[in-house]
Amino acid sequence: MGRLIIVSNRVPSPRERLQPAGGLTVGLKDALRGGESLWFGWSGNQSEFEGDPVVGMDEVDGVTYATIDLTARQHEGFYQNFSNGILWPLFHYRVGLMSYSRRDWQTYLEVNAMFARCLRGLLQPDDVIWVHDYHLFPLGQALRDLGVAGRIGFFLHIPVPPWSLVRSMPGAKLLLEDMQAYDLIGVQTEEDADNLNHAFRLNGLTERAGAFPIGIDPHEFREQAEESVRREEADRLRASLRGTALILGVDRLDYSKGLPERFRGYEAFMARYPEHRGKVSFLQVAPVSRGDVEEYRQLRCQLDELTGRINGAYAEFDWTPIRYLTRPVARDILAGFYRMADVALITPLRDGMNLVAKEYVAAQDAADPGVLVLSHFAGAAPEMDEAVLVNPFDADEIADALHQALTMGLEERQRRWRHLDEDVRRTTAGFWARDFLKALDAAPPVAMPPLGPS
């Protein structure tokens, strides 16, 4: 196999290249170690230069990072309006939040075509290209149109709803047709693969999707948690708890994460199980994302109101039931918080995978593990059936699950954790990348149409 070419909307920042902070950067770390590789995508910067931008090149630890700038118009139409204003809500089953504009659709296609042109000049004949996520659905076809004949794989990190929902987006069939340019399409779960392949079948297209659950590096994260739990930040948190149990939630501030539902579930827990008042604290870390978007501003206001209502109703002069942070906390510090937490409360309304659930399990002390309370709708849920699974739309079910978790005996906690830990160690980030690339190499190649006159 030749070089591995990773393509994503955003290339890791210079700092993340040395110290991966999460998400795709962590997931691809092992794949990038395997040999010569190049990572191509947007720099994160904006430029007023019209036309194809100059590609910036940088090499760190044997990986070449190739980046391009976007104009303000491209960033708005491609990234904010179409990728995050249409595709993100649609693929998270929130059709009512879509705001479609044909101009944004055209900008989305334009930027994908520009990505293809800028990448084409960097490619070698035996390169294997691995494209990531919903920003770049059409990129494979744009590369084929330029004569790229080698292996091109695609991985989607968000859920796939049924075709009956996807078709509500104008141009949905055109995106499916463009995705036929990929030799293999990876998704997180069997349900996602079934939904995508069913959409292909209904539109007379070839099924190309398979499930490849993404994971973490559990050994590295456990070591990080063991070290972090002895740091000053963990000591400060421990002292502030004053012996109360800790329920922990960690998510981006996003409407897909089920945060209002989680807060209402905790409120129901306070009401239904008064014996826990004063004996438990709920810490929710929810860094602001897309704070300039109206839906996200409304979500933040909603959570502010819920936090005030819960604390106003149940706080004592020496105890606060809920702590809510909208500032980011570094991943290495969070690792220690995970290890300390008696319960992790993770309740997405719909998620691609949710690696926080796997990080929590990896961080636990085998002698005295905590309990994972997890939404049925997290992508990780099919792998993690020994978690206490809940429907996030049922506040009373969340309340009952929290009571069950906090009163669970040591033997049952250890039994559940051992099964969960086996799952986390079986589907690591390294195995995910290896399995996908192996399947991509074995997949039937896409038939290349003859090129027209130049």
Side-chain angles (χ1 to χ4, degrees), residues 12-51:
S13 67
R15 180 179 178 181
E16 281 188 299
R17 296 170 194 178
L18 294 171
Q19 295 180 318
L24 185 61
T25 313
V26 172
L28 289 173
K29 183 175 62 175
D30 286 345
L32 292 168
R33 284 174 179 163
E36 190 179 1
S37 55
L38 181 146
W39 193 328
F40 176 88
W42 176 42
S43 64
N45 299 322
Q46 294 184 28
S47 164
E48 293 311 310
F49 177 78
E50 292 292 340

Side-chain angles (χ1 to χ4, degrees), residues 1 80 104 110 121 138 157 172 235 260 315 398 418:
M1 188 174 79
Q80 291 183 321
D104 296 330
E110 169 197 317
H157 294 260
D235 287 340
I398 294 174
R418 281 194 299 269

Side-chain angles (χ1 to χ4, degrees), residues 380-399:
E383 300 175 65
M384 309 186 84
D385 56 0
E386 286 295 341
V388 179
L389 296 172
V390 296
N391 184 332
F393 296 98
D394 187 341
D396 290 332
E397 188 170 315
I398 294 174

